[in-house]
Amino acid sequence: RAALVEGRFGIAPGHTCHYAKHAGSTMARTQLVAAQTVRFYEKHFHLPVIPLPVRRRILAHHLINEGRLLRRDHARDSVRQLWRAWRLSPLNLSVAAHLFFTGIKAAVRASTPAPHHVPSPLSRPGFSRPPGIVKVPPLSICIPAYNAERYLPETLQSVRAQTYTNWELIVVEDGTHDGTEALVAEFSRQGSQPVIFQRHARNQGLPATRNTGIRLAHGDWIILLDNDDVWTPDHLASLLTCADENPHANLVHSGSILFDSVTGQELEVRAPSPAIVGSFPLSLFLGEYVIQPSSAMLRKSLWTRVGGFDPTFRYAEDREMWMRCAQAGAVFAYSGRDTCRYRKHATSLSTNAPPMALACALIFDKAANWEEIPGEVRRRHAAEAWVSAGRLVLRKDPATARTYFARARRYRVTPRVLTYGLAAFGFALFRRPASAKASPARSAPRPPPTRNE
């Protein structure tokens, strides 16, 4: 990014830095590194600074590398990435060879019949399975916590009330020191399930805290839960049933009921209709297909493949993650049940309109090359998102608004976009200077915190 803004680089002579290489360092987690590298080049694929043939060749190379690393354990995902590489570089013999052998491997695995499963007489759908009777992959429930002492007990109680009990709980406190640790310790003593607690030394934000919890997880499935939301007792059981009915799905979710934090009154039900499910992924791109984080269950392999939640997004990080998963070929499945209860606060991050609008515009920027969405739809919504972000800051910060309207013009040049650009220029030109009484040393007000900031 520094190079793209014409940063000047210099190299000092000699080797004066010693880099310590650890076996467990990030560089050793090759699949995660490969996924993040692909994500990096996809993000910058549309930049004209680098010639298009070079961009295509580099992205294809890293897609091949990721597909090769996924071949042993995730043959279908490997074929998908290699197919994307072949579309970028159809004359590359290396791509063709990898795609051929990986496709054969995936076909052999698909044709191999699964072992016949005889249900245990002590096991019934929707109820916990006794340990040692039926072996099932453990679920990892990941809770990010920030000043969570007030609502966390109710959240933990909804976890304890689950009819399906083969899970582990991971709570990561993001730089605060209230009573969260004591609450988690007491919860751990009340049951037999594994409980992990970890604290960030300093606040890192909600996406980074989610990633920390998921890295600590041992389960094949990751269950997301915010520290103030709650579940109905059949939440985990219904998600697992949906996963069994959709064996190719790697992201399963329920519907959500929004309720007022003060009165407890139900405000809204967020669940996709059959028409919205049928128009996926376009409905996800348009914002019609809404998935609350606390309603979602995703495979850890999917989280690894897409590189986790993006820590640069303090707002709308969940929507950005779901769209990135869909672009990576993830299969979504809806349970048909409203088993998640989402607590709505008067000061929650969704009420912070300007930074939320900016986050949405950046999400459309990242999806600019999503081939499954019609190009005109991508361009129109990206332009509208940048116009909306600019309108919200037009009076207070016309200079920033001008940059947002300029971003909109990259996608579409319409009379509306041009009018707002001229308005921003006028506001910046004729804006009254700041009062001389204002202290220059006074810092700008900090934006309202997120749920985990």
Side-chain angles (χ1 to χ4, degrees):
R1 282 188 281 118
L4 293 174
V5 295
E6 300 182 354
R8 300 184 66 182
F9 292 72
I11 304 176
H15 304 95
T16 57
C17 173
H18 291 267
Y19 173 75
K21 184 69 170 64
H22 305 283
S25 67
T26 302
M27 291 300 294
R29 296 194 291 270
T30 52
Q31 284 190 9
L32 178 59
V33 173
Q36 290 176 335
T37 305
V38 168
R39 176 181 155 201
F40 169 82
Y41 284 108
E42 287 177 336
K43 178 180 179 180
H44 297 290
F45 185 77
H46 65 286
L47 296 176
V49 181
I50 309 299
L52 180 60
V54 177
R55 282 179 273 155
R56 294 173 68 93
R57 184 174 70 250
I58 293 176
L59 180 56
H61 168 77
H62 289 287
L63 284 168
I64 294 171
N65 186 47
E66 185 184 8
R68 180 178 56 81
L69 293 170
L70 291 171
R71 179 188 299 161
R72 187 184 68 177
D73 300 321
H74 309 284
R76 291 174 61 88
D77 295 335
S78 176
V79 169
R80 184 179 296 112
Q81 297 303 81
L82 292 171
W83 174 255
R84 294 178 63 198
W86 183 81
R87 292 181 64 182
L88 288 168
S89 183
L91 300 180
N92 190 323
L93 296 180
S94 176
V95 181
H98 280 292
L99 186 59
F100 176 74
F101 289 110
T102 307
I104 292 177
K105 185 172 184 178
V108 170
R109 285 191 177 182
S111 62
T112 303
H116 181 65
H117 172 70
V118 180
S120 165
L122 301 180
S123 172
R124 293 183 293 166
F127 288 82
S128 62
R129 292 181 169 96
I133 301 298
V134 178
K135 185 178 180 180
V136 294
L139 310 181
S140 297
I141 303 170
C142 299
I143 301 180
Y146 182 83
N147 287 333
E149 184 178 18
R150 179 177 179 183
Y151 299 111
L152 187 60
E154 186 178 354
T155 300
L156 294 177
Q157 181 57 39
S158 75
V159 173
R160 181 66 71 199
Q162 293 300 301
T163 57
Y164 182 89
T165 61
N166 192 10
W167 44 259
E168 67 173 355
L169 177 69
I170 302 161
V171 179
V172 179
E173 190 171 15
D174 192 24
T176 56
H177 293 78
D178 58 0
T180 296
E181 184 174 5
L183 290 171
V184 175
E186 177 62 26
F187 178 85
S188 178
R189 289 190 289 268
Q190 293 173 357
S192 59
Q193 291 89 350
V195 176
I196 300 173
F197 176 86
Q198 184 163 314
R199 177 185 290 115
H200 285 164
R202 59 179 180 83
N203 178 260
Q204 298 184 28
L206 181 56
T209 307
R210 290 198 200 279
N211 288 337
T212 299
I214 296 173
R215 287 190 195 99
L216 297 171
H218 302 95
D220 293 334
W221 287 102
I222 303 299
I223 320 293
L224 302 178
L225 177 60
D226 286 342
N227 61 52
D228 54 354
D229 295 338
V230 293
W231 293 332
T232 61
D234 61 339
H235 177 72
L236 295 181
S238 64
L239 291 182
L240 284 172
T241 299
C242 181
D244 290 341
E245 294 171 350
N246 300 272
H248 298 302
N250 41 20
L251 195 155
V252 181
H253 68 95
S254 71
S256 301
I257 300 174
L258 277 66
F259 69 97
D260 186 85
S261 177
V262 178
T263 65
Q265 180 182 359
E266 294 185 0
L267 304 175
E268 178 187 353
V269 176
R270 290 184 180 174
S273 66
I276 289 176
V277 173
S279 61
F280 183 90
L282 179 61
S283 56
L284 182 69
F285 179 87
L286 298 178
E288 300 168 348
Y289 199 123
V290 179
I291 304 174
Q292 295 298 144
S294 296
S295 73
M297 178 176 80
L298 68 153
R299 287 198 179 274
K300 190 173 182 179
S301 59
L302 174 62
W303 173 85
T304 301
R305 177 150 57 92
V306 300
F309 287 88
D310 190 339
T312 63
F313 278 79
R314 290 294 181 115
Y315 296 84
E317 86 291 336
D318 50 340
R319 184 181 180 188
E320 188 276 333
M321 175 67 166
W322 309 148
M323 287 180 62
R324 195 151 31 89
C325 288
Q327 290 178 73
V331 178
F332 288 51
Y334 168 47
S335 70
R337 305 282 301 279
D338 303 327
T339 55
C340 172
R341 290 178 59 84
Y342 171 80
R343 191 183 301 272
K344 189 76 168 68
H345 303 282
T347 57
S348 65
L349 67 147
S350 56
T351 63
N352 302 322
M356 179 68 78
L358 174 59
C360 291
L362 291 170
I363 289 172
F364 284 121
D365 259 7
K366 295 181 72 171
N369 298 306
W370 194 355
E371 295 180 353
E372 293 186 70
I373 308 300
E376 174 59 24
V377 175
R378 281 179 272 148
R379 291 188 292 272
R380 182 174 71 250
H381 281 79
E384 286 297 321
W386 281 112
V387 169
S388 298
R391 287 177 52 239
L392 291 170
V393 298
L394 178 59
R395 293 183 179 274
K396 292 185 177 180
D397 191 353
T400 299
R402 284 184 67 190
T403 64
Y404 292 171
F405 297 139
R407 298 284 286 269
R409 289 198 299 273
R410 296 181 184 178
Y411 294 101
R412 293 186 83 195
V413 179
T414 65
R416 183 167 180 262
V417 174
L418 294 175
T419 301
Y420 274 115
L422 290 173
F425 177 77
F427 272 107
L429 187 63
F430 298 108
R431 189 181 185 191
R432 294 172 58 185
S435 174
K437 296 181 180 180
S439 172
R442 188 173 182 180
S443 61
R446 189 172 185 266
T450 69
R451 294 180 93 180
N452 197 39
E453 179 182 40

Short mmCIF file of all heavy atoms in Angstrom, two decimals, residues 32-75:
data_model
loop_
_atom_site.label_atom_id
_atom_site.label_comp_id
_atom_site.label_asym_id
_atom_site.label_seq_id
_atom_site.Cartn_x
_atom_site.Cartn_y
_atom_site.Cartn_z
N LEU A 32 -2.97 -21.21 6.33
CA LEU A 32 -3.46 -19.88 6.67
C LEU A 32 -2.70 -18.81 5.89
O LEU A 32 -3.28 -17.86 5.36
CB LEU A 32 -3.33 -19.63 8.18
CG LEU A 32 -3.75 -18.25 8.69
CD1 LEU A 32 -5.20 -17.98 8.34
CD2 LEU A 32 -3.53 -18.15 10.19
N VAL A 33 -1.38 -18.96 5.82
CA VAL A 33 -0.56 -17.99 5.08
C VAL A 33 -0.95 -17.99 3.60
O VAL A 33 -1.08 -16.92 2.98
CB VAL A 33 0.94 -18.31 5.26
CG1 VAL A 33 1.78 -17.41 4.36
CG2 VAL A 33 1.35 -18.12 6.71
N ALA A 34 -1.14 -19.16 3.03
CA ALA A 34 -1.53 -19.24 1.61
C ALA A 34 -2.87 -18.56 1.38
O ALA A 34 -3.05 -17.84 0.40
CB ALA A 34 -1.58 -20.71 1.17
N ALA A 35 -3.84 -18.80 2.28
CA ALA A 35 -5.16 -18.18 2.14
C ALA A 35 -5.06 -16.66 2.25
O ALA A 35 -5.71 -15.92 1.49
CB ALA A 35 -6.11 -18.73 3.20
N GLN A 36 -4.25 -16.18 3.19
CA GLN A 36 -4.11 -14.73 3.34
C GLN A 36 -3.39 -14.11 2.15
O GLN A 36 -3.69 -12.99 1.74
CB GLN A 36 -3.35 -14.43 4.64
CG GLN A 36 -4.15 -14.74 5.90
CD GLN A 36 -3.35 -14.51 7.16
OE1 GLN A 36 -2.13 -14.58 7.14
NE2 GLN A 36 -4.04 -14.24 8.26
N THR A 37 -2.44 -14.84 1.56
CA THR A 37 -1.74 -14.33 0.38
C THR A 37 -2.70 -14.20 -0.80
O THR A 37 -2.70 -13.19 -1.52
CB THR A 37 -0.57 -15.26 0.02
OG1 THR A 37 0.28 -15.42 1.16
CG2 THR A 37 0.24 -14.70 -1.13
N VAL A 38 -3.53 -15.23 -1.02
CA VAL A 38 -4.52 -15.16 -2.09
C VAL A 38 -5.46 -13.99 -1.86
O VAL A 38 -5.78 -13.23 -2.78
CB VAL A 38 -5.31 -16.49 -2.17
CG1 VAL A 38 -6.53 -16.33 -3.07
CG2 VAL A 38 -4.42 -17.60 -2.71
N ARG A 39 -5.89 -13.83 -0.61
CA ARG A 39 -6.79 -12.74 -0.28
C ARG A 39 -6.15 -11.38 -0.57
O ARG A 39 -6.80 -10.45 -1.07
CB ARG A 39 -7.17 -12.83 1.20
CG ARG A 39 -8.02 -11.72 1.74
CD ARG A 39 -8.27 -11.97 3.20
NE ARG A 39 -8.55 -10.73 3.89
CZ ARG A 39 -8.43 -10.57 5.20
NH1 ARG A 39 -8.02 -11.57 5.94
NH2 ARG A 39 -8.71 -9.43 5.77
N PHE A 40 -4.86 -11.25 -0.30
CA PHE A 40 -4.14 -10.00 -0.56
C PHE A 40 -4.15 -9.67 -2.05
O PHE A 40 -4.47 -8.55 -2.46
CB PHE A 40 -2.70 -10.10 -0.04
CG PHE A 40 -1.81 -8.98 -0.50
CD1 PHE A 40 -1.83 -7.77 0.17
CD2 PHE A 40 -0.98 -9.13 -1.59
CE1 PHE A 40 -1.02 -6.73 -0.25
CE2 PHE A 40 -0.17 -8.09 -2.01
CZ PHE A 40 -0.19 -6.88 -1.33
N TYR A 41 -3.80 -10.66 -2.88
CA TYR A 41 -3.73 -10.38 -4.31
C TYR A 41 -5.12 -10.21 -4.93
O TYR A 41 -5.27 -9.48 -5.91
CB TYR A 41 -2.95 -11.50 -5.02
CG TYR A 41 -1.46 -11.38 -4.80
CD1 TYR A 41 -0.78 -12.28 -3.98
CD2 TYR A 41 -0.73 -10.35 -5.37
CE1 TYR A 41 0.58 -12.16 -3.75
CE2 TYR A 41 0.63 -10.22 -5.15
CZ TYR A 41 1.28 -11.12 -4.34
OH TYR A 41 2.62 -10.99 -4.11
N GLU A 42 -6.13 -10.86 -4.36
CA GLU A 42 -7.50 -10.60 -4.83
C GLU A 42 -7.92 -9.18 -4.51
O GLU A 42 -8.59 -8.52 -5.30
CB GLU A 42 -8.46 -11.60 -4.18
CG GLU A 42 -8.36 -13.01 -4.73
CD GLU A 42 -9.27 -13.97 -4.01
OE1 GLU A 42 -9.62 -13.70 -2.83
OE2 GLU A 42 -9.62 -14.99 -4.60
N LYS A 43 -7.53 -8.71 -3.33
CA LYS A 43 -7.91 -7.36 -2.90
C LYS A 43 -7.34 -6.31 -3.84
O LYS A 43 -7.98 -5.31 -4.14
CB LYS A 43 -7.41 -7.13 -1.47
CG LYS A 43 -7.69 -5.74 -0.92
CD LYS A 43 -7.17 -5.61 0.49
CE LYS A 43 -7.41 -4.21 1.05
NZ LYS A 43 -6.89 -4.08 2.44
N HIS A 44 -6.10 -6.53 -4.33
CA HIS A 44 -5.43 -5.54 -5.17
C HIS A 44 -5.44 -5.92 -6.65
O HIS A 44 -4.70 -5.33 -7.43
CB HIS A 44 -3.99 -5.35 -4.69
CG HIS A 44 -3.89 -4.80 -3.30
ND1 HIS A 44 -4.24 -3.52 -2.98
CD2 HIS A 44 -3.49 -5.38 -2.14
CE1 HIS A 44 -4.06 -3.31 -1.68
NE2 HIS A 44 -3.62 -4.42 -1.16
N PHE A 45 -6.28 -6.87 -7.01
CA PHE A 45 -6.26 -7.35 -8.39
C PHE A 45 -6.71 -6.28 -9.38
O PHE A 45 -6.28 -6.26 -10.53
CB PHE A 45 -7.16 -8.59 -8.53
CG PHE A 45 -7.12 -9.22 -9.89
CD1 PHE A 45 -6.04 -10.00 -10.27
CD2 PHE A 45 -8.14 -9.03 -10.80
CE1 PHE A 45 -5.99 -10.59 -11.52
CE2 PHE A 45 -8.10 -9.60 -12.05
CZ PHE A 45 -7.02 -10.39 -12.41
N HIS A 46 -7.61 -5.38 -8.95
CA HIS A 46 -8.18 -4.40 -9.87
C HIS A 46 -7.29 -3.17 -10.07
O HIS A 46 -7.63 -2.29 -10.86
CB HIS A 46 -9.55 -3.95 -9.36
CG HIS A 46 -9.48 -3.19 -8.07
ND1 HIS A 46 -9.23 -3.82 -6.87
CD2 HIS A 46 -9.62 -1.87 -7.81
CE1 HIS A 46 -9.22 -2.90 -5.91
NE2 HIS A 46 -9.46 -1.72 -6.44
N LEU A 47 -6.16 -3.08 -9.36
CA LEU A 47 -5.32 -1.88 -9.46
C LEU A 47 -4.57 -1.85 -10.78
O LEU A 47 -3.90 -2.81 -11.16
CB LEU A 47 -4.33 -1.84 -8.29
CG LEU A 47 -4.97 -1.71 -6.91
CD1 LEU A 47 -3.91 -1.79 -5.83
CD2 LEU A 47 -5.72 -0.40 -6.80
N PRO A 48 -4.63 -0.73 -11.49
CA PRO A 48 -4.02 -0.65 -12.82
C PRO A 48 -2.52 -0.42 -12.79
O PRO A 48 -1.89 -0.41 -13.85
CB PRO A 48 -4.74 0.54 -13.46
CG PRO A 48 -5.09 1.42 -12.30
CD PRO A 48 -5.38 0.50 -11.14
N VAL A 49 -1.93 -0.22 -11.61
CA VAL A 49 -0.50 0.07 -11.54
C VAL A 49 0.33 -1.09 -12.08
O VAL A 49 1.35 -0.89 -12.75
CB VAL A 49 -0.10 0.39 -10.07
CG1 VAL A 49 1.39 0.70 -9.97
CG2 VAL A 49 -0.92 1.55 -9.55
N ILE A 50 -0.12 -2.33 -11.80
CA ILE A 50 0.58 -3.52 -12.27
C ILE A 50 -0.11 -4.01 -13.54
O ILE A 50 -1.34 -4.09 -13.60
CB ILE A 50 0.55 -4.63 -11.19
CG1 ILE A 50 1.03 -4.08 -9.84
CG2 ILE A 50 1.38 -5.82 -11.62
CD1 ILE A 50 2.46 -3.57 -9.87
N PRO A 51 0.63 -4.37 -14.58
CA PRO A 51 0.01 -4.86 -15.81
C PRO A 51 -0.90 -6.06 -15.55
O PRO A 51 -0.59 -6.92 -14.72
CB PRO A 51 1.21 -5.24 -16.68
CG PRO A 51 2.34 -4.41 -16.16
CD PRO A 51 2.10 -4.28 -14.69
N LEU A 52 -2.01 -6.11 -16.29
CA LEU A 52 -3.00 -7.17 -16.08
C LEU A 52 -2.41 -8.57 -16.24
O LEU A 52 -2.69 -9.45 -15.41
CB LEU A 52 -4.19 -6.97 -17.04
CG LEU A 52 -5.29 -8.02 -16.93
CD1 LEU A 52 -5.89 -8.04 -15.53
CD2 LEU A 52 -6.38 -7.75 -17.97
N PRO A 53 -1.58 -8.86 -17.24
CA PRO A 53 -1.02 -10.22 -17.34
C PRO A 53 -0.20 -10.61 -16.11
O PRO A 53 -0.22 -11.77 -15.68
CB PRO A 53 -0.15 -10.15 -18.60
CG PRO A 53 -0.73 -9.04 -19.40
CD PRO A 53 -1.21 -8.03 -18.40
N VAL A 54 0.51 -9.64 -15.53
CA VAL A 54 1.30 -9.93 -14.33
C VAL A 54 0.38 -10.22 -13.16
O VAL A 54 0.59 -11.16 -12.39
CB VAL A 54 2.23 -8.74 -14.01
CG1 VAL A 54 2.99 -9.00 -12.71
CG2 VAL A 54 3.20 -8.51 -15.15
N ARG A 55 -0.69 -9.42 -13.02
CA ARG A 55 -1.65 -9.66 -11.93
C ARG A 55 -2.29 -11.04 -12.06
O ARG A 55 -2.44 -11.76 -11.07
CB ARG A 55 -2.73 -8.58 -11.96
CG ARG A 55 -2.30 -7.23 -11.38
CD ARG A 55 -3.42 -6.23 -11.48
NE ARG A 55 -3.43 -5.53 -12.76
CZ ARG A 55 -4.50 -4.98 -13.32
NH1 ARG A 55 -5.67 -5.09 -12.73
NH2 ARG A 55 -4.41 -4.35 -14.47
N ARG A 56 -2.68 -11.41 -13.27
CA ARG A 56 -3.31 -12.71 -13.47
C ARG A 56 -2.34 -13.84 -13.16
O ARG A 56 -2.71 -14.84 -12.52
CB ARG A 56 -3.81 -12.82 -14.92
CG ARG A 56 -4.93 -11.85 -15.27
CD ARG A 56 -5.25 -11.89 -16.75
NE ARG A 56 -5.85 -13.17 -17.11
CZ ARG A 56 -7.15 -13.41 -17.15
NH1 ARG A 56 -8.00 -12.45 -16.83
NH2 ARG A 56 -7.62 -14.58 -17.50
N ARG A 57 -1.09 -13.70 -13.61
CA ARG A 57 -0.10 -14.76 -13.39
C ARG A 57 0.21 -14.92 -11.91
O ARG A 57 0.29 -16.05 -11.39
CB ARG A 57 1.17 -14.43 -14.17
CG ARG A 57 2.21 -15.55 -14.07
CD ARG A 57 3.41 -15.27 -14.96
NE ARG A 57 4.22 -14.15 -14.46
CZ ARG A 57 4.30 -12.97 -15.04
NH1 ARG A 57 3.64 -12.74 -16.17
NH2 ARG A 57 5.06 -12.02 -14.56
N ILE A 58 0.35 -13.82 -11.18
CA ILE A 58 0.69 -13.91 -9.74
C ILE A 58 -0.47 -14.50 -8.95
O ILE A 58 -0.27 -15.39 -8.10
CB ILE A 58 1.07 -12.52 -9.21
CG1 ILE A 58 2.38 -12.05 -9.84
CG2 ILE A 58 1.19 -12.54 -7.69
CD1 ILE A 58 2.78 -10.65 -9.45
N LEU A 59 -1.70 -14.03 -9.23
CA LEU A 59 -2.85 -14.58 -8.50
C LEU A 59 -3.02 -16.06 -8.81
O LEU A 59 -3.30 -16.87 -7.91
CB LEU A 59 -4.11 -13.79 -8.85
CG LEU A 59 -5.40 -14.25 -8.17
CD1 LEU A 59 -5.24 -14.26 -6.65
CD2 LEU A 59 -6.58 -13.37 -8.57
N ALA A 60 -2.85 -16.46 -10.07
CA ALA A 60 -2.97 -17.87 -10.43
C ALA A 60 -1.91 -18.70 -9.69
O ALA A 60 -2.20 -19.80 -9.20
CB ALA A 60 -2.82 -18.05 -11.94
N HIS A 61 -0.69 -18.17 -9.59
CA HIS A 61 0.38 -18.90 -8.89
C HIS A 61 0.00 -19.17 -7.44
O HIS A 61 0.19 -20.30 -6.94
CB HIS A 61 1.67 -18.07 -8.95
CG HIS A 61 2.75 -18.57 -8.03
ND1 HIS A 61 3.52 -19.68 -8.32
CD2 HIS A 61 3.17 -18.12 -6.81
CE1 HIS A 61 4.36 -19.89 -7.32
NE2 HIS A 61 4.18 -18.95 -6.40
N HIS A 62 -0.54 -18.18 -6.76
CA HIS A 62 -0.88 -18.36 -5.34
C HIS A 62 -2.14 -19.20 -5.16
O HIS A 62 -2.28 -19.90 -4.15
CB HIS A 62 -1.00 -17.00 -4.66
CG HIS A 62 0.32 -16.30 -4.49
ND1 HIS A 62 1.25 -16.71 -3.56
CD2 HIS A 62 0.87 -15.26 -5.15
CE1 HIS A 62 2.32 -15.94 -3.65
NE2 HIS A 62 2.12 -15.04 -4.60
N LEU A 63 -3.06 -19.15 -6.13
CA LEU A 63 -4.20 -20.06 -6.07
C LEU A 63 -3.75 -21.51 -6.22
O LEU A 63 -4.28 -22.41 -5.56
CB LEU A 63 -5.21 -19.69 -7.17
CG LEU A 63 -6.07 -18.45 -6.91
CD1 LEU A 63 -6.80 -18.03 -8.18
CD2 LEU A 63 -7.08 -18.72 -5.79
N ILE A 64 -2.78 -21.75 -7.11
CA ILE A 64 -2.22 -23.10 -7.25
C ILE A 64 -1.59 -23.55 -5.93
O ILE A 64 -1.79 -24.68 -5.48
CB ILE A 64 -1.17 -23.12 -8.37
CG1 ILE A 64 -1.82 -22.86 -9.72
CG2 ILE A 64 -0.43 -24.46 -8.40
CD1 ILE A 64 -0.82 -22.65 -10.84
N ASN A 65 -0.84 -22.66 -5.31
CA ASN A 65 -0.18 -23.01 -4.05
C ASN A 65 -1.20 -23.36 -2.97
O ASN A 65 -1.05 -24.36 -2.25
CB ASN A 65 0.70 -21.84 -3.59
CG ASN A 65 1.51 -22.19 -2.36
OD1 ASN A 65 2.13 -23.24 -2.28
ND2 ASN A 65 1.51 -21.30 -1.37
N GLU A 66 -2.28 -22.55 -2.86
CA GLU A 66 -3.30 -22.86 -1.87
C GLU A 66 -4.01 -24.17 -2.20
O GLU A 66 -4.28 -25.00 -1.31
CB GLU A 66 -4.31 -21.72 -1.78
CG GLU A 66 -5.33 -21.93 -0.66
CD GLU A 66 -6.40 -20.86 -0.63
OE1 GLU A 66 -6.47 -20.03 -1.55
OE2 GLU A 66 -7.18 -20.87 0.34
N GLY A 67 -4.33 -24.37 -3.47
CA GLY A 67 -4.98 -25.62 -3.86
C GLY A 67 -4.13 -26.84 -3.57
O GLY A 67 -4.62 -27.88 -3.13
N ARG A 68 -2.81 -26.72 -3.79
CA ARG A 68 -1.90 -27.83 -3.50
C ARG A 68 -1.88 -28.16 -2.00
O ARG A 68 -1.87 -29.33 -1.61
CB ARG A 68 -0.50 -27.47 -3.97
CG ARG A 68 0.56 -28.52 -3.76
CD ARG A 68 1.89 -28.05 -4.31
NE ARG A 68 2.29 -26.77 -3.74
CZ ARG A 68 2.88 -26.66 -2.54
NH1 ARG A 68 3.12 -27.74 -1.81
NH2 ARG A 68 3.24 -25.48 -2.07
N LEU A 69 -1.92 -27.11 -1.16
CA LEU A 69 -1.88 -27.34 0.28
C LEU A 69 -3.19 -27.92 0.81
O LEU A 69 -3.20 -28.62 1.83
CB LEU A 69 -1.57 -26.03 1.00
CG LEU A 69 -0.16 -25.45 0.78
CD1 LEU A 69 -0.06 -24.05 1.33
CD2 LEU A 69 0.88 -26.35 1.42
N LEU A 70 -4.30 -27.63 0.13
CA LEU A 70 -5.60 -28.12 0.58
C LEU A 70 -5.91 -29.52 0.06
O LEU A 70 -6.87 -30.13 0.51
CB LEU A 70 -6.70 -27.16 0.10
CG LEU A 70 -6.76 -25.77 0.75
CD1 LEU A 70 -7.75 -24.89 0.00
CD2 LEU A 70 -7.16 -25.88 2.21
N ARG A 71 -5.11 -30.04 -0.86
CA ARG A 71 -5.47 -31.27 -1.57
C ARG A 71 -5.66 -32.46 -0.64
O ARG A 71 -6.61 -33.23 -0.77
CB ARG A 71 -4.40 -31.60 -2.61
CG ARG A 71 -4.68 -32.89 -3.39
CD ARG A 71 -3.50 -33.26 -4.26
NE ARG A 71 -3.23 -32.21 -5.22
CZ ARG A 71 -2.07 -32.09 -5.86
NH1 ARG A 71 -1.07 -32.92 -5.59
NH2 ARG A 71 -1.89 -31.12 -6.74
N ARG A 72 -4.79 -32.62 0.35
CA ARG A 72 -4.83 -33.83 1.16
C ARG A 72 -6.10 -33.93 2.01
O ARG A 72 -6.74 -34.98 2.07
CB ARG A 72 -3.60 -33.89 2.07
CG ARG A 72 -3.48 -35.21 2.83
CD ARG A 72 -2.31 -35.19 3.79
NE ARG A 72 -2.53 -34.25 4.88
CZ ARG A 72 -1.70 -34.06 5.90
NH1 ARG A 72 -0.56 -34.73 5.92
NH2 ARG A 72 -1.96 -33.20 6.85
N ASP A 73 -6.47 -32.81 2.67
CA ASP A 73 -7.58 -32.85 3.62
C ASP A 73 -8.86 -32.25 3.07
O ASP A 73 -9.95 -32.55 3.59
CB ASP A 73 -7.19 -32.11 4.91
CG ASP A 73 -5.98 -32.73 5.59
OD1 ASP A 73 -5.90 -33.97 5.60
OD2 ASP A 73 -5.12 -31.98 6.08
N HIS A 74 -8.78 -31.39 2.05
CA HIS A 74 -9.96 -30.70 1.55
C HIS A 74 -9.91 -30.71 0.02
O HIS A 74 -9.66 -29.69 -0.61
CB HIS A 74 -10.02 -29.26 2.08
CG HIS A 74 -9.87 -29.16 3.56
ND1 HIS A 74 -10.89 -29.47 4.44
CD2 HIS A 74 -8.80 -28.78 4.32
CE1 HIS A 74 -10.46 -29.29 5.68
NE2 HIS A 74 -9.21 -28.87 5.64
N ALA A 75 -10.16 -31.87 -0.54
CA ALA A 75 -10.00 -32.03 -1.99
C ALA A 75 -10.96 -31.15 -2.77
O ALA A 75 -10.59 -30.56 -3.80
CB ALA A 75 -10.20 -33.50 -2.38
#
